[in-house]
Amino acid sequence: MLKSTLTPIFSNVPAKPNYPKLKLLSRAISSTLSSTPPTARQNASPNIFTTPLLPPTSAYIHLPFCRKRCHYCDFPIVALGSSSTQTTEDDPRILNYIQLVYREINATQVSFKSHPPLETVFFGGGTPSLVPPRLVSSILDLLRAKFGVSWDAEISMEMDPGTFDAKKMEELMELGVNRVSLGVQAFQEELLKACGRAHGVKQVYEAIEIVNSCGVDNWSMDLISSLPHQTPQMWEESLRLTVEAQPKHVSVYDLQVEQGTKFGTLYTPGEFPLPSDVLSADFYRIASRMLSDAGYEHYEISSYCQDGFKCKHNSTYWKNKPFYGFGLGSASYVCGMRFSRPKKMRGYIDFVQNLEDGTVDYRGNTDIDTTDLASDIVMLSFRTARGLDLKSFQEAFGSSMLHSLCEAYKPYVESGHVLCFNEQRRVVTADEYNALLLNEADIGRGLANMRLSDPDGFLLSNELISVAFGVIAP
């Protein structure tokens, strides 16, 4: 499926000392987040600071199996082979891995006095739809026994065209899977082949038909822009056909060429046959316009949805809420600490054994580093259409920090890349904004939210996040 090599940001991730690089994991996201353990906590609002310390109500399960590795993918996967006659029902590689994940979940220490049930579960990969439903069921059963799963939980699964039929889809729905993320990527045969995808356009339409005929109401489609030899006309066609398919959610990712991948060997970013940065930005603008015109809300940098169909699991990440991660290379955010599992199978096997032996403890502590938390909040908030809650930020980090942040964004408010809103959700003009900056106390009273404009502000998101890092951790 779509991996961390894909992100809708058109520059390098902003630099910040000792801060983890955020990479997008297809629909699930940030399985590669890592950070140093938290250090000291300073006086601040209990709201923002206690949120990371609450029990997680989301779990990500990494199922790494694919038919083959796509040319853009640098994610931890296990390639099973692309034969159309091959069955995965009794593949020992899958059976053994599921047992490992089962052991990891079982050995996870829960240090909370009370633990609310999970509200979201996300099976990402890899191509989770290659895993037999009975093995998915065993993981869900263990999650229910270990943490509890809410009766109305969002249970998502990434699925690739050509890896499931109606029978498998119905079996997964009976287990509780109620949201499907379909990895289409493109509607042009030549682009799919150039990416090394295991499916073709015929399988795309078959998958859409299966999802609809089985009554999956909540489903998402993934697309990739800035592929080799991709033209604006191809991109518009893929977007048009996506709208015609009527998914409730659409994720749009811009290709990032990563070292160690086949594309990393073949291509240099910005050079033919890859689109230029200018054309990549145009692709992003085209997606924003076409999907918005079709009634999709652009609620996050790479995410669009019809009313009421935001991805609840991914919203966990944007709100900086804690979550469990299980499986090869996955990440957790528990008790204010982020950490990732090994990306190699041998290392993951050792990790699970050490967890069972009690020599691994990642439950963190109650101390949260103020600088890291402020950076987290700004970075994640600026990925969303709602943006940064300035009043909460001021309560947590002080009027002086907020004033410095607003001063730094003054030129971007004037250029229209950053938008500010008052309590009535009215856009504050640049003149009004500049007047508020004259008195530090006026900012908290006059401003409620700050967000990046769509699409041009989102296109500069890394630069604008770097501005915040320069204020928070100069």
Side-chain angles (χ1 to χ4, degrees):
M1 303 298 281
L2 212 55
K3 295 301 169 290
S4 55
T5 49
L6 306 169
T7 169
I9 304 175
F10 299 98
S11 60
N12 292 329
V13 173
K16 170 184 174 293
N18 300 320
Y19 193 77
K21 177 179 179 181
L22 179 67
K23 301 177 75 179
L24 188 63
L25 182 159
S26 65
R27 303 151 294 285
I29 228 173
S30 77
S31 236
T32 55
L33 275 174
S34 62
S35 112
T36 54
T39 53
R41 174 176 179 174
Q42 299 178 6
N43 294 329
S45 164
N47 222 1
I48 289 180
F49 276 106
T50 57
T51 295
L53 303 178
L54 295 174
T57 56
S58 294
Y60 171 81
I61 316 296
H62 188 65
L63 302 179
F65 306 102
C66 288
R67 287 175 170 179
K68 60 179 183 177
R69 182 178 290 278
C70 298
H71 298 341
Y72 51 73
C73 176
D74 71 341
F75 212 68
I77 70 160
V78 175
L80 300 176
S82 56
S83 171
S84 59
T85 60
Q86 186 178 22
T87 177
T88 60
E89 191 63 33
D90 296 308
D91 191 308
R93 293 168 293 183
I94 297 179
L95 295 173
N96 292 338
Y97 177 80
I98 294 297
Q99 184 60 34
L100 268 176
V101 174
Y102 197 95
R103 288 169 55 193
E104 183 193 354
I105 296 172
N106 219 22
T108 297
Q109 297 296 313
V110 179
S111 57
F112 305 98
K113 292 181 179 179
S114 62
H115 200 301
L118 298 177
E119 297 172 0
T120 73
V121 178
F122 198 107
F123 291 96
T127 308
S129 47
L130 286 171
V131 176
R134 61 185 176 85
L135 299 180
V136 175
S137 178
S138 68
I139 297 298
L140 282 172
D141 287 344
L142 181 58
L143 291 175
R144 291 187 178 100
K146 182 80 175 183
F147 308 108
V149 177
S150 177
W151 67 271
D152 61 347
E154 177 191 87
I155 302 179
S156 303
M157 175 171 283
E158 294 180 341
M159 305 181 76
D160 269 4
T163 64
F164 64 97
D165 54 18
K167 180 176 182 293
K168 178 179 280 190
M169 185 73 257
E170 290 168 353
E171 289 177 356
L172 290 169
M173 292 174 68
E174 289 175 1
L175 298 177
V177 174
N178 52 26
R179 185 178 184 277
V180 169
S181 198
L182 192 62
V184 170
Q185 324 312 7
F187 279 85
Q188 295 78 33
E189 201 75 46
E190 60 270 36
L191 293 185
L192 293 173
K193 289 180 180 178
C195 289
R197 297 293 292 176
H199 69 264
V201 174
K202 180 175 181 288
Q203 286 74 36
V204 168
Y205 285 110
E206 289 173 349
I208 293 172
E209 173 60 27
I210 291 169
V211 168
N212 287 326
S213 66
C214 290
V216 181
D217 186 44
N218 189 2
W219 68 284
S220 178
M221 186 182 293
D222 286 353
L223 297 175
I224 310 176
S225 64
S226 302
L227 293 170
H229 300 287
Q230 190 176 36
T231 66
Q233 292 73 27
M234 289 177 174
W235 183 231
E236 289 179 355
E237 180 184 46
S238 288
L239 290 165
R240 177 178 57 79
L241 293 172
T242 295
V243 170
E244 290 178 4
Q246 298 185 332
K248 293 297 194 297
H249 188 282
V250 182
S251 293
V252 174
Y253 303 102
D254 188 79
L255 176 70
Q256 298 294 300
V257 177
E258 300 285 352
Q259 291 184 353
T261 66
K262 186 170 183 178
F263 276 178
T265 302
L266 294 174
Y267 305 126
T268 300
E271 295 184 8
F272 186 81
L274 294 179
S276 66
D277 288 345
V278 172
L279 186 53
S280 291
D282 285 343
F283 284 152
Y284 188 80
R285 292 187 179 97
I286 290 170
S288 179
R289 172 179 54 80
M290 290 185 65
L291 292 173
S292 296
D293 288 348
Y296 289 88
E297 176 189 356
H298 193 182
Y299 74 97
E300 186 271 331
I301 281 184
S302 62
S303 306
Y304 302 76
C305 71
Q306 295 182 10
D307 187 38
F309 287 92
K310 293 178 182 177
C311 180
K312 295 178 182 178
H313 184 84
N314 285 352
S315 293
T316 295
Y317 305 127
W318 311 138
K319 294 176 181 178
N320 204 37
K321 295 171 64 177
F323 56 89
Y324 291 113
F326 299 108
L328 185 71
S330 65
S332 289
Y333 182 33
V334 182
C335 292
M337 183 170 68
R338 303 182 191 274
F339 82 102
S340 298
R341 284 105 182 121
K343 295 182 179 181
K344 300 292 186 180
M345 191 64 74
R346 181 68 257 175
Y348 176 59
I349 292 171
D350 292 341
F351 166 83
V352 173
Q353 185 63 59
N354 290 336
L355 188 64
E356 290 176 325
D357 293 342
T359 57
V360 172
D361 183 4
Y362 57 85
R363 287 173 289 175
N365 54 57
T366 59
D367 293 330
I368 299 178
D369 182 82
T370 305
T371 299
D372 280 353
L373 183 58
S375 299
D376 273 340
I377 290 168
V378 172
M379 179 175 67
L380 297 172
S381 295
F382 275 179
R383 293 188 66 97
T384 69
R386 177 165 179 79
L388 178 65
D389 184 328
L390 297 179
K391 291 188 179 297
S392 294
F393 189 86
Q394 182 183 37
E395 291 173 1
F397 306 108
S399 298
S400 180
M401 173 77 78
L402 177 62
H403 185 264
S404 297
L405 192 66
C406 290
E407 279 281 2
Y409 283 123
K410 179 179 176 180
Y412 299 99
V413 172
E414 293 173 345
S415 67
H417 290 93
V418 174
L419 303 177
C420 288
F421 301 83
N422 61 17
E423 290 284 4
Q424 290 72 44
R425 295 296 293 169
R426 179 182 66 82
V427 177
V428 175
T429 68
D431 288 342
E432 292 172 328
Y433 183 85
N434 292 338
L436 290 170
L437 290 179
L438 296 176
N439 188 339
E440 185 176 297
D442 287 342
I443 297 176
R445 292 193 294 265
L447 301 177
N449 284 85
M450 174 184 285
R451 59 154 293 178
L452 308 187
S453 62
D454 178 12
D456 290 338
F458 280 152
L459 284 168
L460 286 181
S461 58
N462 276 334
E463 178 181 334
L464 296 173
I465 291 169
S466 293
V467 169
F469 288 172
V471 172
I472 296 168

